[in-house]
Amino acid sequence: PAGPGSVADRIVARLRALLAAAGEEPPYILVGAGFGGLPVQLFARQQPEEVLGVVLVDGFHPEFEARLGELLSPEQTATRQAAIEANPEGITHGDILAAGAAVSSAPGFPPVSTVVLRPGLAPPSADPSWPTELSPQQKTAPPSSSAHV
């Protein structure tokens, strides 16, 4: 998606427009999976009065991609970036980094009900040199009175 701001900013704007066009009124329960967790977190931070709750299904932590890059070799980073950029939605590695930065620089996460569903293990890899400790993902949940499943 082209336009000003991060891809997460544009997704938030599009979501707000779609909700308005559908006649849906706040408060909303927002659900984001994977990368979609970043725009959901951004929406909640930018429009806290419009959000009743958030569900993150293996949602990205805003700093996950940047921190993961610190753990990987250059070859592993190139492999990961190529895999990310092969997605049909057209989301790039740079989009993920920019979306994470947009979330990190937004106001704090609001005190709303939050459920975070995440895997307990690192993603499988045929390469035994890949890190198995992905601590940024283990901190996905924004601070609030949340439920962790």
Side-chain angles (χ1 to χ4, degrees), residues 42-96:
L42 187 60
F43 188 119
R45 288 170 177 245
Q46 291 176 337
Q47 310 296 330
E49 69 285 351
E50 295 183 12
V51 178
L52 181 64
V54 170
V55 178
L56 299 172
V57 182
D58 198 15
F60 285 19
H61 182 282
E63 298 173 8
F64 177 76
E65 202 61 38
R67 289 186 183 179
L68 183 60
E70 296 170 3
L71 300 174
L72 302 180
S73 71
E75 296 81 18
Q76 292 168 329
T77 298
T79 298
R80 178 158 173 80
Q81 287 178 359
I84 288 170
E85 302 206 5
N87 72 77
E89 293 86 11
I91 302 297
T92 68
H93 185 256
D95 290 334
I96 295 171

